[in-house]
Amino acid sequence: MEQYNGRSVNGGIASAPIKIYRKEEVRIRREHVADTDAEIGRLELAIIELSDEFRRLADRAGENVGEDDAELFNAYIMILRDEIFIGTVKETIKNERINAEFAVMRVAQGIAEMFSAMEEEYMRSRAADMEDVADRLTRVLIGESSRPFAIDEPCILVAEDLSPAETVTLDKHLIQGIVTVKGSVTSHTAILARMMDIPAMVGVPLDLRSIKSGQMAVLDGFNGVFITNPDFETLVKTKNRMEELARESEELLSYRDLESITTDGKSISLLANVASTRDLDAVEKSGADGIGLFRSEFLYLEGRSFPDEEKQYRAYRKVLETMGDKPVVIRTMDIGADKQPDYFGVEAEENPALGFRAIRICLKKPEIFKVQLRAILRASVYGNAKILYPMVTCTWELEWIERVLKETVEELEKEGVPYKIPLQGIMIETPAAAVTADLLAEKTGFFSIGTNDLVQYTMALDRQNGMLDDFYRPKETAIKRMIEFTVKSAHENGILCGVCGELAADISMTRFFIDIGMDALSVSPGFILKLKKHIRSL
Ligand code: PEP
Ligand code: MG
């Protein structure tokens, strides 16, 4: 039994076999083959195997995840049946007498390049599908699992580090906990673990070569302790503690339909932070008053190409229809810094957190921004939507946003497409915005304070840098003053103000938020009932 200490990013206890996550790349070499018929036979078998797997994944996606994924796997099956693709691969094997995996890769690359050069966004996104199918097919051919990383049973995921894009594509329902060697407590990976409501730790000094997938482990997210090869006594203690926690969660459900109000009659809305339509069940269970932050950028991080207007429209509409009359705050994509989709092609920056991110990308690339605005405006017909713009620093940006929105509305009008313009607000997450909140409040519909970035920029503290976790002090006077001034400015201008950064879930801050008149706290769905219980005791 070995014990490791690290920093907790989410409480909870897990006991499960380890699954080690490694970034792997398949290397394919060109090889000469003597028997090309046998090679084509090998290709055909691999196609059958992969088609069966796509069919299983499509069925499972239809049941558990969402129609989008089911559609994707059905489209993948069509690619495997495509005469041009498969026919050309077979011809290449025959004519050049080369191995199937090399032929698949080369033909797919050619087709993907052709798609990428096309005008229509739809065709361009087919390039990524082609590459994904080819990647999986070559993996089957060389005898690996078709997926770069597949989770087939409950596990504690252990990794050197995880990017938000990697975390969001993991098979969440089987992951019982996350442990990383690197990472910081306010990174988006940590935030995703909180949204998944599973115990998680970062900064665990593990040598990944000394442990193996399948080895038993115990994770105590409350105390930041990770144990590999636990002895019998530890396993029994863990099991008892897990049963106790399950009873506590059950008990918390009795708060679901109660008001979020203090004993002296002050109420505050409790909203949920989500990253995907997959989080909606957890929101429902939590009895949230609405969605206070839909981090739409995860739609961009999940896929291998830009989510087109239809895909985004369907996601927003689904969230809005599920929430009924309750408000849903859709934040426009906050891409950049640690949230980088590979296909975006943003050049490496010296200081990405201070760089080309969020609203700056949207304003400089209106063709991308407009696709999202169109999807949100169209979906807004189906519920109580609000739009939230991230990383705003001054009123001048609001004027620019207004112009892009106006053009988008004109286009929808011209096409006769039904739409609704929702109330628009801004994140207060830069010191510039916080200290000019009085001016910004005159020009916008609501405020949502993003304490994660507000702390990073105010305290000059990179939120990605785990070495600085001890310096991460979100309750310092500098931050409290900014929060207080922001709420006061909002109310003087008759608009609402909430907090959607991680500080909203810190129960030692709840009294402060209520005393200064904060209107809403938006937290991970798994935290809502705990927070409500606390508020009702104040
Ligand atoms: C924040 O900065 O506090 C916030 C809510 O946004 P994100 O964590 O996604 O940057
Ligand atoms: Mg932020």
Side-chain angles (χ1 to χ4, degrees):
M1 178 162 110
E2 272 87 36
Q3 179 168 327
Y4 304 87
N5 297 317
R7 295 184 297 277
S8 166
V9 294
N10 200 33
I13 310 276
S15 166
I18 289 171
K19 175 93 185 177
I20 302 179
Y21 177 87
R22 284 197 181 88
K23 299 170 213 272
E24 359 166 34
E25 270 185 21
V26 203
R27 283 219 181 98
I28 306 291
R29 278 203 309 266
R30 181 188 175 113
E31 274 162 33
H32 174 81
V33 291
D35 186 349
T36 52
D37 286 342
E39 196 62 8
I40 289 173
R42 208 165 68 81
L43 173 76
E44 279 166 350
L45 278 180
I47 291 174
I48 293 171
E49 190 183 316
L50 191 57
S51 300
D52 283 350
E53 181 170 348
F54 286 156
R55 219 162 283 128
R56 275 196 307 276
L57 287 168
D59 289 347
R60 215 181 74 197
E63 285 159 20
N64 303 327
V65 186
E67 291 151 30
D68 279 354
D69 301 83
E71 247 174 54
L72 179 80
F73 291 121
N74 285 323
Y76 279 12
I77 295 174
M78 298 310 289
I79 294 179
L80 286 180
R81 286 194 193 140
D82 187 284
E83 258 316 300
I84 300 185
F85 172 41
I86 300 301
T88 319
V89 173
K90 287 181 182 169
E91 267 171 39
T92 313
I93 296 174
K94 238 189 165 73
N95 298 343
E96 299 187 33
R97 310 192 77 82
I98 55 171
N99 51 329
E101 42 275 42
F102 192 80
V104 165
M105 219 180 60
R106 214 178 60 194
V107 172
Q109 255 168 17
I111 299 178
E113 273 166 25
M114 199 175 72
F115 283 152
S116 307
M118 289 187 179
E119 280 274 301
E120 291 155 74
E121 193 194 312
Y122 174 80
M123 291 313 287
R124 285 205 306 270
S125 62
R126 299 287 72 81
D129 292 350
M130 185 50 133
E131 280 167 354
D132 195 19
V133 172
D135 180 57
R136 291 171 188 249
L137 187 54
T138 46
R139 283 174 192 274
V140 175
L141 280 161
I142 59 169
E144 270 195 18
S145 158
S146 80
R147 282 167 285 165
F149 182 74
I151 295 174
D152 302 312
E153 52 182 7
C155 64
I156 295 176
L157 191 77
V158 177
E160 187 69 26
D161 202 3
L162 279 171
S163 73
E166 285 163 330
T167 316
V168 79
T169 47
L170 291 171
D171 207 344
K172 297 174 189 62
H173 64 289
L174 290 172
I175 301 178
Q176 313 291 301
I178 294 181
V179 171
T180 62
V181 178
K182 296 188 182 141
S184 72
V185 290
T186 49
S187 66
H188 283 94
T189 300
I191 289 172
L192 282 169
R194 272 174 231 134
M195 281 198 219
M196 287 156 75
D197 202 19
I198 52 170
M201 283 167 69
V202 295
V204 183
L206 277 169
D207 177 357
L208 294 194
R209 287 165 307 185
S210 68
I211 55 168
K212 281 201 184 78
S213 288
Q215 228 171 302
M216 194 58 198
V218 163
L219 164 56
D220 175 352
F222 294 112
N223 298 306
V225 174
F226 181 58
I227 297 170
T228 55
N229 302 322
D231 58 19
F232 183 68
E233 200 192 326
T234 309
L235 283 173
V236 172
K237 263 199 209 152
T238 307
K239 186 169 167 281
N240 292 342
R241 182 80 180 101
M242 284 168 75
E243 281 169 5
E244 205 180 299
L245 286 173
R247 275 194 301 276
E248 279 173 29
S249 312
E250 196 63 32
E251 241 175 73
L252 276 176
L253 286 178
S254 61
Y255 284 85
R256 193 185 172 282
D257 299 317
L258 301 180
E259 237 186 302
S260 162
I261 191 165
T262 61
T263 53
D264 54 348
K266 290 184 180 158
S267 61
I268 186 162
S269 288
L270 288 184
L271 307 170
N273 290 350
V274 299
S276 141
T277 50
R278 289 168 210 146
D279 298 329
L280 290 173
D281 283 348
V283 175
E284 217 284 312
K285 218 167 124 196
S286 75
D289 299 318
I291 289 179
L293 177 64
F294 178 4
R295 287 182 161 98
S296 72
E297 58 275 10
F298 284 101
L299 282 176
Y300 293 73
L301 290 170
E302 277 171 0
R304 292 164 58 114
S305 63
F306 281 106
D308 61 21
E309 182 181 323
E310 267 325 289
K311 181 169 181 179
Q312 293 195 49
Y313 163 73
R314 269 182 283 144
Y316 304 143
R317 180 170 165 180
K318 180 162 185 192
V319 178
L320 286 162
E321 285 182 334
T322 309
M323 295 307 290
D325 296 336
K326 292 181 178 178
V328 174
V329 178
I330 304 173
R331 177 169 76 181
T332 56
M333 56 155 196
D334 188 10
I335 297 286
D338 61 326
K339 291 180 281 193
Q340 299 277 5
D342 291 340
Y343 58 85
F344 223 93
V346 172
E347 277 180 34
E349 298 172 275
E350 200 71 34
N351 292 300
L354 303 177
F356 195 46
R357 62 171 291 201
I359 202 68
R360 300 170 183 178
I361 299 183
C362 292
L363 293 176
K364 293 295 280 182
K365 291 185 178 284
E367 67 285 4
I368 296 177
F369 191 25
K370 277 186 186 170
V371 172
Q372 178 164 42
L373 288 176
R374 282 176 65 100
I376 300 176
L377 263 56
R378 285 175 54 204
S380 296
V381 174
Y382 299 93
N384 182 4
K386 297 181 186 188
I387 303 185
L388 178 64
Y389 301 113
M391 277 291 285
V392 167
T393 56
C394 55
T395 53
W396 162 78
E397 285 156 344
L398 297 185
E399 287 157 22
W400 195 345
I401 293 171
E402 178 91 42
R403 285 203 295 280
V404 182
L405 186 77
K406 190 163 164 275
E407 282 170 26
T408 311
V409 169
E410 280 166 9
E411 284 165 22
L412 289 169
E413 275 289 336
K414 211 160 46 204
E415 294 163 28
V417 178
Y419 70 92
K420 204 168 136 193
I421 306 179
L423 182 73
Q424 297 159 72
I426 58 169
M427 301 262 322
I428 300 289
E429 56 182 342
T430 62
V435 299
T436 56
D438 50 341
L439 307 177
L440 288 162
E442 291 171 5
K443 305 233 178 246
T444 196
F446 65 97
F447 283 159
S448 187
I449 306 178
T451 51
N452 308 336
D453 278 314
L454 187 61
V455 173
Q456 152 162 272
Y457 296 125
T458 307
M459 310 299 275
L461 202 100
D462 177 2
R463 65 191 270 197
Q464 289 303 112
N465 187 339
M467 282 191 318
L468 300 176
D469 279 351
D470 288 343
F471 294 89
Y472 191 82
R473 298 171 65 94
K475 295 182 248 180
E476 281 299 326
T477 309
I479 306 296
K480 283 186 170 168
R481 280 190 186 165
M482 287 189 187
I483 294 176
E484 236 180 305
F485 181 65
T486 303
V487 179
K488 185 168 157 277
S489 304
H491 291 169
E492 280 172 6
N493 285 279
I495 64 171
L496 295 179
C497 179
V499 183
C500 64
E502 298 301 289
L503 198 60
D506 183 335
I507 55 172
S508 69
M509 288 292 284
T510 317
R511 181 82 259 175
F512 166 76
F513 288 138
I514 289 176
D515 285 347
I516 61 171
M518 194 62 75
D519 300 296
L521 297 175
S522 193
V523 299
S524 302
F527 213 82
I528 288 187
L529 293 175
K530 289 175 211 152
L531 194 53
K532 196 189 278 186
K533 182 177 178 190
H534 175 66
I535 290 167
R536 289 181 64 87
S537 75
L538 288 175

